[in-house]
Structure formats: C-alpha cells, structure tokens
Amino acid sequence: MAKFIFVTGGVSSSLGKGIISASLGKLLKSQGFRVTIQKFDPYINVDPGTLNPYEHGECYVTDDGAETDLDLGHYERFLDITTSRDNNVTAGSIYQTVINKERRGDYLGKTVQVIPHITDEIQRRTYQLAEKGYDIVITEIGGTVGDIESLPFLEAVRQMRMKLGRENCLVIHLTLIVYISAARELKTKPTQHSVKELLQAGIQPDLLVCRTEHPLTEEVRDKLALFCNVERSSVIEAIDVDTIYDVPLHMLKEGLNREVIRKMQLSPPLQEPDLDSWRAFLQKLKNPKHHVRIGLVGKYVELRDAYKSILESFTHAGAQLETQILVDLIHSEELEGLKEEELAQKLGALHGILVAPGFGSRGIEGKIRAVHYARTHNIPFMGICLGMQCAVIEFARNVIGLKDAHSTEIDPLAEHKVIDLMEEQKRITHLGGTMRLGAYECALTPNTRAYEAYSKPLIRERHRHRYEFNNRYRDQFEAHGMRITGINPPTQLVEIIEIPGHPWFVGVQFHPEFTSRAETAHPLFCAFVKAALQHKEQTHPAKA
Ligand code: GLN
C-alpha cells in the first residue's frame, strides 16, 4: 500500500513547490523507495495544451502524449523517472469526468455535488496513480491556500487523511518567511495566517518548509513550531540557493527526508541517500572550464518559463561538458526588421543558434532569418519542432529556389507547402485530434550527426506538433544537399534533417528537451554544445 505526501503552498505563489516536491522525491528515491510525483492544477482547462505559454510557461509533454504542467519536467529531471497523464490532474479534467458520468446516467438520478463527487474523483485519480506500484506518491497542489479554486483539492486531502491516518497521508506546507529589511527581521505572521487558512480547510500541516532569504534563527523556528502547531524538528528551512539543483542537498541537510520517514513510519529506509552522481553533476555545473554563447531564438523570450526544458537541457549538457552556457534569449520578431549589419551584430558573435518550437505566424520570418544566418555563416544550428520546420522552409526558398515555400500552418495558400498536414489528418475536423503527441520511434541513418550523437540506430523521442515535413518534396531536398537522417519507420515521416557540408546543422521534429536529465544530459544537446565549443575555438582560438 502506497503512502501519500501532499505539498501545499502558502503566503505567495512561485515559492518553488515543484522544486521542493522534486527534491524530496529525489531524496526518498535515492534511499530505495519507489516514488512518483503528481501535480494538481486547480484551473478549469482540461489540460495546459490550449494555454498560451505566457500563462503558465511551457507545456511539458509526457511519453504517453499528455500535455502537462511544466512541473512534471522538474520531476522527471530530478528523479530520472517517466511520468504519464496520470501525473497531472486539473480541475477541468476532474469536472469533465464527473460531468460525462452524469450525462451517461452513472449517478442514478442523484444530485451531483462538489462533495462527494468531485472530491471522490480527485481521490480516485491519486489512488489510480499509486496502483502502478509506488511506495510513495507525492502530490503537489498548485496555487496557494486560500484560493477558492483549490478548495475541492484540499477537501479531498482532508478526507484521505481521515480515512488513511496522518502517518499514511502527510501534509507539507511550503511557506514564505517574510524579511523586513528596514527592521532586519524575519516575520512569521503571514505563515501563521496561511496555516490558519489550511486549518480552516480541516488540515493541520505536519511539516513546514520555510522559504527564506536569510537563515532562520532559533527563535524564529521556535515561534513557527509553537504558533503553527508543528514539531520543532519539522520546521525546515529552504533558503535561497544558487541553482535549483542545490535544493535536494539543502533539504537533506535540513532533514526533510528524515522527518518524512519518521512521521510516516516508513519501513526502514533501504539505504542512506545515495547522491554521489548528483554531487558530481553539481560539482561540474559549478566549476566550468569553458564557456560558449548560444542564441535561443523564439517569440516568448520575455518569459524564461516558456523555454524551461530547453534551458534546463543546456544546464545538463553544460555540466556534462564542464562548459558554462550563456544563453542569449533573442526575440524572433525583432530580427525581422533588422538591416544585415544589425543582424550580424546580433547573431555574429554567437557560437551556436537554436531556433525554438512554437505555434502560429508571429515572429516566423525572424526565425527563418536566424536559420539563414546560421546556415550561411557556418554557425552550429539546432532547430526544434517549429525550428526544424523553419530550417526546411529556409532551405526550400534559398537553396532549392521555391520562393514561396511555407508551412500550411502559416500560409495555407502557399504554392509549395513543404511543411504540411498529412492526408489522414486532413479528414479530422476536431483540432485536438490532429496533433502528434508523445513518444515515437525514429530510425537514424549511420554516419550522420544524429547517429554520432546518439550512437544507436533506433531512438524514441517525444512529439507535440500538427504539421510534418512534406515527403513529396523529399527528393528535391536531397538533390540539393539536405539529408533526411531520421525517419519514423511505420509512417516514414521525417524526424531529422541535416546539412552535411555545414559544421553542425540539425533540425529535429521532436522535442529532445523533454528527455534531458540532470545526471544524464541529452546526447543531442551535448553534441550541439560540443559543436559550439569547436566553432568558438575556430573563430576565436584560445591564446596559447
Ligand atoms: N506549430 C508547429 C506544428 O504544429 C510546430 C509545433 C512545435 O514547435 N511544437 O507542427
């Protein structure tokens, strides 16, 4: 029987519940427990697939093709686990299930209500995940206590605790300890209030994790324990750290896992936390021997969360190669109006250019211009999803000479739709049904950049797109020097393109950023960064 840990947030949003949950999961997993992490999102959207990245940042895609909250990315990157659609539960999906049941008549004429029908469905989702064979299911509850929309989720937790007992159903409250700089004092009152708010929902938290800019003094810890009714040893400090990857070690030092194991009476931990490879990763991350500058061209660059997984993938690859990667976030729309010299100023000093995924036409010509610059100036280039499609369009226009080449998504009237919907997709009218989502196999051609990076003939990578390379143009592309180096075997869809004469020019239809892990950087990102290092060495050789 699994045990359950719920992580709530108080005082303010953005305290890092996802990172705390992932760090606790990491510690418990490293002690031999089978752990997974789930996220409750109290919004009414059924999934974040339809959300603009400006709302909640990137949409993370799981192996089984669920469009999920970006926190699932943290869980996978920290714990090196694979999550699934069961790991993300939104209020929208809960209501949808309940309403569908009601329409089918499953409730036999009963009045359908938040309690018990919505709260039952929330619990059912949690048990359903636990049944996959976990010792511990950690659930992060999105939002902040006191929000109206998170109430049904808290109520579900209250009911579970009643049924299972607190030792089987723990609540950790992540809160902010406010620092008043004029008085140079840490203040606990907002935390006391947020705990009161939880109590109002019938939940006494078992542990407090206290986000703070300054170390908690003994008095502050005493006060928190007394006023919030938690054991003194269960007041855990979460001080600001240099990188999110420091948090597991800090939680270990503060004894978060120890307290959890004690309170839940978890049968003897199989081992002390084994964090050797984590420490090795951090050691390399913090002591780079080289550095490169990479431009990330996208249209959501004001919001780093929109490219979360890509930025984290660079962190992992950078650590593996002991290289600090300075990522310049470049607005694709801005590139559109630049004169040639201005463009050269913006892109010329970069050691690598990555054109990001995306949807819609805003900034697309800027992305195509960035591809053109990388291709014609021999700067290592990586295109992801829309970025790969831009590389195909650029090549079609400027190398093959198909002047009006475009993607059907952007210009449905273009004569040369080099990126297009597949015939079978055209018959589907429901927009959600036409996306290629989740992991698909890709066979790699030997003696290519892709094969060199992965060192194996068959890979699996995650997808999230609607449009594809149009195979009717394949011969023309190959005749002009673009190589198709990865294919999905059953459908023959193009997954990877390369330009052989270029130092490193690779476009992938899939999203490698979703499978990069802290301790195992993604081979394609590593290969790209290596190429960037080489480019740097050639253009600005280090002085002897
Ligand atoms: N908009 C493109 C498509 O639907 C690319 C999607 C993406 O970059 N994730 O095919």
Side-chain angles (χ1 to χ4, degrees):
M1 175 70 186
K3 300 215 176 201
F4 300 91
I5 301 172
F6 292 91
V7 181
T8 58
V11 178
S12 156
S13 58
S14 303
L15 294 182
K17 279 196 302 279
I19 302 297
I20 293 293
S21 305
S23 299
L24 174 60
K26 173 81 197 164
L27 293 175
L28 294 171
K29 183 174 181 243
S30 78
Q31 293 187 269
F33 296 107
R34 289 166 302 172
V35 185
T36 193
I37 315 185
Q38 182 185 40
K39 172 92 191 267
F40 285 165
D41 277 307
Y43 49 67
I44 304 294
N45 302 67
V46 173
D47 64 43
T50 53
L51 282 169
N52 187 312
Y54 287 122
E55 298 286 310
H56 298 278
E58 143 192 300
C59 170
Y60 187 77
V61 180
T62 56
D63 241 31
D64 65 346
E67 297 176 280
T68 71
D69 185 77
L70 58 73
D71 274 315
L72 273 76
H74 290 309
Y75 311 157
E76 294 208 355
R77 290 188 282 269
F78 273 60
L79 277 75
D80 191 15
I81 54 170
T82 304
T83 58
S84 71
R85 61 182 65 253
D86 291 338
N87 292 71
N88 197 188
V89 175
T90 65
S93 74
I94 295 283
Y95 276 90
Q96 190 178 49
T97 306
V98 171
I99 290 171
N100 287 342
K101 275 187 173 171
E102 185 273 334
R103 291 289 84 184
R104 276 203 313 266
D106 291 3
Y107 295 110
L108 305 172
K110 285 271 181 224
T111 308
V112 180
Q113 294 180 296
V114 173
I115 305 171
H117 302 102
I118 295 296
T119 49
D120 279 355
E121 179 59 20
I122 295 170
Q123 292 173 69
R124 193 187 67 77
R125 298 285 183 94
T126 309
Y127 293 128
Q128 177 175 302
L129 177 60
E131 272 165 21
K132 290 184 173 172
Y134 296 107
D135 302 317
I136 301 166
V137 177
I138 300 174
T139 302
E140 174 193 351
I141 305 183
T144 310
V145 295
D147 297 347
I148 290 176
E149 53 183 18
S150 56
L151 279 174
F153 290 96
L154 293 177
E155 170 57 17
V157 174
R158 187 197 65 77
Q159 293 176 22
M160 276 180 77
R161 260 151 83 91
M162 193 68 185
K163 269 181 265 179
L164 303 176
R166 271 169 76 168
E167 73 283 9
N168 293 316
C169 203
L170 207 72
V171 173
I172 300 177
H173 189 54
L174 173 63
T175 176
L176 177 68
I177 306 303
V178 178
Y179 183 70
I180 310 279
S181 43
R184 296 198 187 170
E185 247 185 282
L186 288 167
K187 291 293 183 189
T188 66
K189 192 70 81 190
T191 295
Q192 296 176 37
H193 280 294
S194 80
V195 169
K196 240 186 216 157
E197 199 71 56
L198 257 183
L199 282 170
Q200 239 169 70
I203 297 172
Q204 163 66 54
D206 301 286
L207 286 103
L208 286 183
V209 176
C210 305
R211 184 74 192 268
T212 176
E213 285 173 38
H214 299 273
L216 299 185
T217 59
E218 294 304 315
E219 294 95 295
V220 167
R221 288 182 193 248
D222 288 340
K223 199 164 172 185
L224 284 165
L226 182 65
F227 284 86
C228 301
N229 197 25
V230 297
E231 285 182 273
R232 176 66 166 67
S233 57
S234 297
V235 177
I236 305 287
E237 174 194 274
I239 200 157
D240 292 359
V241 282
D242 298 343
T243 140
I244 53 171
Y245 297 103
D246 275 329
V247 179
L249 295 177
H250 193 77
M251 289 300 112
L252 176 68
K253 201 169 110 239
E254 281 286 304
L256 177 62
N257 57 319
R258 185 198 63 220
E259 281 297 292
V260 165
I261 288 171
R262 180 176 70 81
K263 284 183 176 290
M264 300 192 94
Q265 299 158 21
L266 284 164
S267 36
L270 313 178
Q271 61 200 47
E272 283 301 301
D274 174 8
L275 295 172
D276 288 353
S277 86
W278 191 264
R279 287 199 176 91
F281 154 70
L282 271 174
Q283 172 71 16
K284 285 199 201 165
L285 179 65
K286 292 184 174 182
N287 299 288
K289 297 197 171 80
H290 323 276
H291 75 268
V292 286
R293 186 171 286 282
I294 289 186
L296 193 168
V297 183
K299 67 171 169 174
Y300 302 112
V301 289
E302 311 86 320
L303 185 76
R304 292 182 78 86
D305 271 1
Y307 300 111
K308 191 90 199 163
S309 292
I310 294 177
L311 295 173
E312 295 307 323
S313 300
F314 278 128
T315 304
H316 309 156
Q320 177 150 328
L321 300 167
E322 299 180 85
T323 300
Q324 182 186 15
I325 301 172
L326 307 161
V327 181
D328 274 3
L329 294 166
I330 299 169
H331 210 303
S332 48
E333 258 180 312
E334 262 170 34
L335 298 183
E336 290 177 357
L338 297 185
K339 297 198 192 82
E340 273 312 310
E341 324 79 82
E342 292 168 332
L343 189 73
Q345 241 173 33
K346 199 128 196 136
L347 305 180
L350 297 170
H351 308 123
I353 294 178
L354 187 148
V355 176
F359 290 82
S361 57
R362 184 166 68 90
I364 192 96
E365 291 302 326
K367 286 185 170 177
I368 294 171
R369 244 187 130 181
V371 175
H372 181 76
Y373 193 89
R375 183 176 63 77
T376 52
H377 291 80
N378 288 325
I379 299 177
F381 167 82
M382 179 160 166
I384 299 181
C385 210
L386 183 63
M388 172 267 201
Q389 298 176 352
C390 287
V392 169
I393 296 165
E394 194 278 326
F395 195 89
R397 289 182 186 173
N398 301 320
V399 181
I400 309 179
L402 307 172
K403 283 294 163 229
D404 91 328
H406 223 317
S407 161
T408 310
E409 177 184 10
I410 318 294
D411 181 5
L413 299 176
E415 191 189 338
H416 296 290
K417 299 182 184 76
V418 289
I419 303 292
D420 197 8
L421 283 178
M422 298 298 91
E423 283 309 316
E424 19 343 328
Q425 290 174 309
K426 291 180 186 162
R427 289 191 291 272
I428 306 172
T429 47
H430 184 56
L431 206 59
T434 55
M435 282 270 247
R436 186 143 75 106
L437 284 165
Y440 285 84
E441 281 187 340
C442 168
L444 303 177
T445 314
N447 302 318
T448 59
R449 294 290 183 213
Y451 197 99
E452 189 179 43
Y454 286 93
S455 319
K456 57 181 175 188
L458 194 66
I459 56 164
R460 257 169 78 81
E461 292 282 10
R462 298 182 195 171
H463 291 248
R464 179 179 184 238
H465 56 100
R466 187 167 287 121
Y467 298 87
E468 305 280 355
F469 179 96
N470 186 343
N471 267 325
R472 277 191 292 154
Y473 289 90
R474 187 171 165 164
D475 292 346
Q476 276 192 66
F477 275 88
E478 290 190 310
H480 285 85
M482 181 173 270
R483 268 188 96 185
I484 310 300
T485 64
I487 287 282
N488 173 244
T491 59
Q492 290 297 300
L493 290 173
V494 170
E495 309 283 40
I496 311 180
I497 56 103
E498 295 183 23
I499 300 179
H502 188 281
W504 204 91
F505 190 103
V506 178
V508 291
Q509 186 58 79
F510 50 78
H511 291 266
E513 71 273 24
F514 293 146
T515 45
S516 180
R517 305 283 191 257
E519 290 151 296
T520 31
H522 194 285
L524 211 55
F525 277 90
C526 289
F528 176 46
V529 174
K530 265 189 213 157
L533 275 166
Q534 249 170 36
H535 178 77
K536 181 184 171 196
E537 197 46 43
Q538 279 158 10
T539 43
H540 318 275
K543 292 186 187 74

